[in-house]
Amino acid sequence: MAMVDRISPLPDDILCHILSFLSTKDAISTSLLSKRWRPLWRSLPCLHFDLNFPNSPSIYINNCNIIYRIILSRDHIKSLRFQCGPIFNFYLDPLDANINEWVDIAIQHGLENLDLGHPCDPPIPTLWSSSIFRCKTLVVLKLEGFFVDVDDIVHLPSLKILILDCAYFREPRCVLKLLSGCPSLENLEANCIDYDGPIEEDSEEEQDESIEEDPEEEQDEPIEEDMEETNGDYDGISLPKLVNAEVSCLTPDIPLRAISSVRFLRMDEMWIGLTHNLYLNAFLRNLQNVLLEIMKTQKVHCYL
């Protein structure tokens, strides 16, 4: 008895929704099933690319050209995801340029969900396009293993979900600047944020120099003054619509008062251990407000 195909007769919208859970490469492969499936992948508003870096640059260039054609062929791009594999040094500069340009194009097509992932091993790719930080349509932003070069102006009025996992910033002020431009933020996850310039593999000479440096000469001025100057006006940021926050392995360079309105809060037990004396009093003051909220909801996991 022949098997009945109950999927192909479904409307295009449902079939495209099913295909959106696949990588773009796998979605294109479904065009081989039958004539019914052949044009569907061209209508997908969700694009998911796995970026691997072969030994042959010509293969990488060919793959990039295919991605360009796919992105440019879309009238509307709802979701764009890039999952990068380990990067060779000579791929870093072209990858930075390609990803930022691809994201720019997607933003021009109404991008709502941006997901960029990398395994966090040096060298680290950089997200620097100014259009990313001024996108009016972006609702979800997830960055994993990327160096985030925050623009001078951040305006993300529609952003509701921000996930920073193993993300790198130049300084704490950059994180505060990013948060200050997200007035509609409802969900925040910040795990293992680090502060440094673009991460590259150290040469042997740089490693030798770092060994010879005198630790006592690394910082001439008191830490307190440096931190105050670093954070500047962003200490007073507020996220009034924030509902859920998960903050772990993060120093309190994000003021607790910025997340004091949350209903559900999860914090890593390392928070207090990483707190500098400069922030301890303010931390405890704000913590009282957060604990009051915890007592009201009784649904918060707080590890302190």
Side-chain angles (χ1 to χ4, degrees):
M1 182 177 178
M3 297 292 292
V4 178
D5 184 358
R6 299 182 182 277
I7 297 181
S8 295
L10 294 174
D12 286 3
D13 291 345
I14 295 180
L15 293 178
C16 286
H17 180 70
I18 295 173
L19 292 179
S20 68
F21 292 96
L22 302 177
S23 70
T24 300
K25 180 180 179 180
D26 291 338
I28 293 175
S29 299
T30 63
S31 63
L32 302 175
L33 295 175
S34 67
K35 292 182 179 180
R36 172 74 180 92
W37 289 83
R38 190 169 300 164
L40 291 177
W41 72 272
R42 300 180 182 277
S43 303
L44 288 179
C46 302
L47 301 177
H48 172 195
F49 299 100
D50 292 320
L51 287 177
N52 295 310
F53 301 92
N55 291 327
S56 172
S58 61
I59 296 176
Y60 172 76
I61 293 173
N62 182 63
N63 292 340
C64 288
N65 290 334
I66 293 174
I67 293 174
Y68 268 114
R69 290 199 297 269
I70 292 174
I71 293 178
L72 288 171
S73 67
R74 293 297 186 275
D75 293 328
H76 175 64
I77 299 177
K78 181 178 180 180
S79 176
L80 180 63
R81 180 186 178 192
F82 286 103
Q83 185 61 47
C84 303
I87 303 173
F88 297 112
N89 276 328
F90 59 88
Y91 280 123
L92 185 61
D93 289 341
L95 175 65
D96 286 349
N98 289 333
I99 283 188
N100 283 276
E101 186 171 356
W102 291 332
V103 172
D104 280 345
I105 296 173
I107 287 175
Q108 296 172 16
H109 291 77
L111 184 65
E112 299 177 22
N113 187 329
L114 177 61
D115 183 346
L116 301 179
H118 178 263
C120 303
D121 297 324
I124 301 295
T126 300
L127 187 66
W128 45 257
S129 173
S130 60
S131 65
I132 298 170
F133 304 106
R134 306 177 191 180
C135 180
K136 297 181 179 179
T137 59
L138 199 61
V139 178
V140 180
L141 177 59
K142 180 180 180 181
L143 302 174
E144 179 182 0
F146 268 70
F147 175 78
V148 187
D149 193 0
V150 180
D151 194 59
D152 289 338
I153 299 176
V154 178
H155 182 56
L156 299 168
S158 303
L159 193 70
K160 294 184 178 181
I161 300 175
L162 176 61
I163 301 175
L164 303 172
D165 192 1
C166 294
Y168 297 86
F169 294 82
R170 291 192 184 279
E171 56 184 359
R173 179 184 176 89
C174 295
V175 181
L176 303 180
K177 187 190 301 183
L178 177 59
L179 291 176
S180 69
C182 307
S184 302
L185 195 65
E186 297 177 0
N187 293 275
L188 171 65
E189 292 184 26
N191 301 303
C192 299
I193 291 179
D194 200 358
Y195 304 109
D196 205 340
I199 309 300
E200 299 180 0
E201 293 181 344
D202 293 335
S203 63
E204 294 183 1
E205 294 181 359
E206 290 174 339
Q207 292 176 357
D208 293 339
E209 289 179 1
S210 63
I211 294 175
E212 294 174 358
E213 288 178 354
D214 186 354
E216 297 181 357
E217 298 180 357
E218 289 182 358
Q219 189 164 345
D220 297 329
E221 299 180 1
I223 295 177
E224 289 84 353
E225 294 181 6
D226 290 345
M227 297 301 289
E228 288 177 353
E229 183 178 350
T230 298
N231 290 342
D233 297 336
Y234 296 104
D235 281 341
I237 64 172
S238 176
L239 302 172
K241 297 185 179 181
L242 193 65
V243 177
N244 299 287
E246 180 175 340
V247 185
S248 62
C249 297
L250 180 68
T251 62
D253 298 316
I254 295 181
L256 281 180
R257 58 178 168 273
I259 59 174
S260 61
S261 62
V262 296
R263 293 175 55 195
F264 306 99
L265 173 64
R266 178 179 178 180
M267 291 197 305
D268 191 270
E269 60 183 353
M270 294 178 65
W271 182 291
I272 290 181
L274 291 175
T275 303
H276 190 271
N277 290 336
L278 171 67
Y279 291 102
L280 189 55
N281 291 334
F283 177 86
L284 294 176
R285 259 198 320 271
N286 292 319
L287 183 59
Q288 292 174 3
N289 295 331
V290 176
L291 286 174
L292 290 175
E293 189 66 21
I294 292 175
M295 293 170 62
K296 293 177 184 177
T297 63
Q298 297 182 348
K299 294 182 180 179
V300 178
H301 301 284
C302 185
Y303 303 96
L304 296 172

